[in-house]
Amino acid sequence: MNNTDKSVFFIVLLTISFCFFLIKDRPLLIDEIQHFTSIKEVSNFEITEETITRNSHLPGYYFLVGIAISLINYKTVIGARFITVLFSLMCILIFYKIAKKIDNKNAYIKTLQFFFFPIIFLFLYLIYNDILAFAVVFFYLYF
């Protein structure tokens, strides 16, 4: 890993940590209420038909986050947001690997553009499945 790689990851890690600490204690925002309700039901093993049908997409994200917060024994909004931040870091790392394969010289610039893209940046810290969906797609593109 060269100095540019380290700089990019430092910028991403510093920014994502700062934003996480800004939002971690805030009340649930907009759709996070529905998402967290499903996650909470999964983490408490109280899965009903509504857990699966509450939202208009497959419940894989809720199961992953629900099981993860159960494993770390932190069944709170902060725990769910923390797991989402970990998914965000994974997504950005995979994006960087793809960008490096395509254009090694400019991979760090492309990664920072992706990271700070306003439509994506907002979802990196919130309880939404979009970032995990990006990560899965990028994973398949990489391999």
Side-chain angles (χ1 to χ4, degrees):
M1 188 177 271
N2 62 35
N3 287 339
T4 304
D5 293 346
K6 291 177 184 175
S7 298
V8 168
F9 289 115
F10 179 73
I11 290 168
V12 168
L13 195 57
L14 185 67
T15 306
I16 210 165
S17 298
F18 177 73
C19 291
F20 173 73
F21 283 107
L22 282 178
I23 198 167
K24 72 178 180 73
D25 294 322
R26 302 256 184 216
L28 293 168
L29 304 169
I30 310 164
D31 291 347
E32 278 189 311
I33 296 166
Q34 292 177 336
H35 297 300
F36 187 68
T37 302
S38 295
I39 290 168
K40 190 82 167 166
E41 289 170 358
V42 170
S43 71
N44 292 328
F45 301 104
E46 297 170 353
I47 301 164
T48 64
E49 183 178 335
E50 190 176 353
T51 305
I52 296 168
T53 60
R54 180 177 291 117
N55 297 295
S56 63
H57 44 298
L58 297 173
Y61 172 77
Y62 309 125
F63 280 86
L64 283 174
V65 175
I67 290 168
I69 65 175
S70 291
L71 290 174
I72 63 172
N73 201 24
Y74 206 60
K75 299 177 184 181
T76 63
V77 172
I78 297 170
R81 285 181 175 159
F82 178 73
I83 298 300
T84 301
V85 165
L86 293 179
F87 288 148
S88 299
L89 290 171
M90 179 180 68
C91 179
I92 292 161
L93 177 65
I94 296 169
F95 181 89
Y96 177 73
K97 295 285 191 182
I98 292 170
K100 202 166 183 168
K101 263 186 171 180
I102 295 170
D103 183 7
N104 188 32
K105 182 180 173 187
N106 296 311
Y108 66 95
I109 294 289
K110 291 178 182 185
T111 302
L112 290 175
Q113 287 173 335
F114 173 74
F115 178 67
F116 287 110
F117 189 56
I119 296 171
I120 295 169
F121 189 76
L122 299 174
F123 291 103
L124 295 173
Y125 326 97
L126 299 176
I127 304 171
Y128 283 88
N129 67 346
D130 301 272
I131 296 303
L132 180 62
F134 274 130
V136 170
V137 170
F138 292 156
F139 180 80
Y140 283 111
L141 287 174
Y142 184 70
F143 294 104

